[in-house]
Amino acid sequence: MNTPLIKIEDAIKVFTSHGSAFRRKRFFAIDHVSMEIKQGQTIGLVGESGCGKSTLGRCILSLLRLDGGKIIFKGIEIHNKKEREFRPLRRELQMVFQNPKTSFNPSMTIGQSIINAMCLRTDLSKTAKLEYLTELLNQVQLSPLFAGKFPSEVSGGELQRAGLARALAVQPSFIFLDEPTSALDMSIRGQIVNLLLDIQERNKLTYIFVSHDLQLIRYVADYVYVMYMGQIVESGKREELFSYPLHPYTKALLAATLLGREERRQARLQSLKGEVIAYDWSGKGCKLAPRCAEATPKCFEENQVLHTINGRQVRCWRI
């Protein structure tokens, strides 16, 4: 039972900027990331836009290839498999995308899109797929009439439910939820989150839940990883990390959300300067140092190592 469903070991993904050969720069979208995800667990993954969260999800689903490291699913290395070899595993690993309006083919009805996802279900006949389509729509609290509608004819919340139904169509064991509520109205977000939790319990699913909303992560996650410029800078159990953050970046994220009186009081001291700019890192020192209010000269000189403190991980020499 302690064997992780997914184990990521020292994963690396490098991108190269556009431009002339002399101006091109390489940057680490994923920089030696390691994590473990246990069966039935919800992992919260947080960090500013551009920190590598979505890239990590695409690598897990083999939509992008790693440049180094390993991804192990149920004891099988999947990062280096060719598409033909990986295809049987696509039933197990699914993704719900951030913007439902761009993740559906506008020329296909919702029903057609969901049935199209069932191409991996060789165990179902055409009639069985139609019956299962109705069952899936019921699971996500949509009327069977939605099967005949086009994406442009339904609301964002309804379309995100359909996106979840599409992910469930192949009976996965793991779903990467890439900010599934960020494009929705506040009144709809709670409904989608509770639906996700209900479906997780019913189907014994494992989630990685990506969100900028730390209050939401505090509600849904069992364990939280904090990413900055491709690196894990802190990880820990949900309540420990939210109640007692260690890394300056985690403190700044929490202060920005104004979670509690202490964070309000410290918000000005712990705020970050500027934005995430991957190209600005020289390759030496802490990636956060140019923005960190607690940085010292040593922070600009020494690369930071992720070390363990009382069962938690943190990438900061001062802690």
Side-chain angles (χ1 to χ4, degrees):
M1 291 298 291
N2 292 324
T3 303
L5 178 72
I6 298 175
K7 187 173 184 180
I8 302 171
E9 297 181 353
D10 212 25
I12 300 170
K13 180 61 185 177
V14 181
F15 291 121
T16 303
S17 64
H18 296 291
S20 66
F22 297 102
R23 294 184 178 181
R24 288 177 189 166
K25 294 184 179 181
R26 299 170 70 247
F27 67 97
F28 286 81
I30 302 175
D31 189 355
H32 298 85
V33 166
S34 297
M35 64 172 61
E36 293 187 355
I37 305 123
K38 296 179 181 178
Q39 179 71 47
Q41 194 175 35
T42 297
I43 295 293
L45 187 57
V46 302
E48 294 167 282
S49 297
C51 288
K53 306 182 297 298
S54 298
T55 300
L56 180 62
R58 283 165 169 75
C59 288
I60 293 173
L61 271 72
S62 199
L63 300 176
L64 292 173
R65 296 289 182 182
L66 288 182
D67 294 308
K70 297 179 180 180
I71 298 176
I72 301 167
F73 175 69
K74 291 186 175 180
I76 302 170
E77 292 189 16
I78 63 174
H79 56 280
N80 54 4
K81 288 188 177 295
K82 296 180 180 178
E83 176 57 31
R84 180 168 50 84
E85 298 172 317
F86 186 81
R87 187 173 176 80
L89 295 172
R90 291 207 179 277
R91 278 193 62 173
E92 300 261 21
L93 302 161
Q94 289 291 305
M95 190 170 191
V96 174
F97 296 90
Q98 178 177 356
N99 190 341
K101 292 187 180 297
T102 60
S103 65
F104 275 84
N105 186 334
S107 65
M108 297 175 67
T109 65
I110 290 172
Q112 288 171 336
S113 292
I114 295 174
I115 288 178
N116 187 55
M118 294 185 206
C119 63
L120 300 173
R121 295 289 305 275
T122 55
D123 57 316
L124 294 180
S125 65
K126 186 175 180 179
T127 302
K129 287 179 180 179
L130 290 172
E131 293 174 352
Y132 190 42
L133 170 62
T134 301
E135 181 183 333
L136 286 168
L137 292 173
N138 286 330
Q139 276 194 52
V140 298
Q141 300 172 10
L142 288 177
S143 164
L145 296 175
F146 276 85
K149 294 181 180 292
F150 287 91
S152 60
E153 297 176 323
V154 302
S155 69
E158 291 165 339
L159 198 55
Q160 193 63 294
R161 291 171 187 265
L164 180 56
R166 182 176 58 185
L168 294 171
V170 290
Q171 295 184 327
S173 55
F174 168 82
I175 301 179
F176 189 92
L177 300 161
D178 190 6
E179 301 198 48
T181 63
S182 65
L184 306 178
D185 293 338
M186 202 58 112
S187 59
I188 304 297
R189 291 183 185 183
Q191 298 175 23
I192 296 296
V193 169
N194 289 329
L195 177 63
L196 286 166
L197 295 178
D198 289 343
I199 287 174
Q200 179 182 34
E201 184 175 359
R202 190 184 313 140
N203 295 280
K204 310 301 181 187
L205 291 171
T206 304
Y207 290 157
I208 288 183
F209 202 116
V210 176
S211 180
H212 287 93
D213 187 341
L214 297 189
Q215 296 189 48
L216 175 58
I217 291 296
R218 190 171 194 171
Y219 178 67
V220 302
D222 302 304
Y223 196 90
V224 180
Y225 287 88
V226 182
M227 283 189 77
Y228 182 74
M229 285 181 65
Q231 293 181 335
I232 300 297
V233 296
E234 185 172 355
S235 68
K237 294 179 181 178
R238 172 189 59 195
E239 284 306 320
E240 290 179 354
L241 187 139
F242 278 93
S243 299
Y244 185 53
L246 299 175
H247 196 277
Y249 184 64
T250 311
K251 293 177 182 178
L253 290 179
L254 289 172
T257 63
L258 302 181
L259 286 174
R261 292 181 180 178
E262 180 62 22
E263 285 76 11
R264 284 190 178 92
R265 190 177 66 82
Q266 293 291 331
R268 182 171 297 177
L269 293 175
Q270 295 172 347
S271 62
L272 298 175
K273 298 174 288 184
E275 299 177 355
V276 181
I277 304 176
Y279 302 142
D280 279 359
W281 187 53
S282 65
K284 183 175 69 173
C286 174
K287 291 186 176 185
L288 185 67
R291 304 179 64 199
C292 181
E294 302 177 28
T296 67
K298 183 176 180 179
C299 298
F300 290 89
E301 296 296 326
E302 294 186 8
N303 288 354
Q304 302 300 296
V305 177
L306 198 62
H307 56 277
T308 303
I309 301 176
N310 298 325
R312 293 173 58 183
Q313 291 185 309
V314 63
R315 191 183 298 271
C316 183
W317 70 270
R318 300 174 67 254
I319 299 167

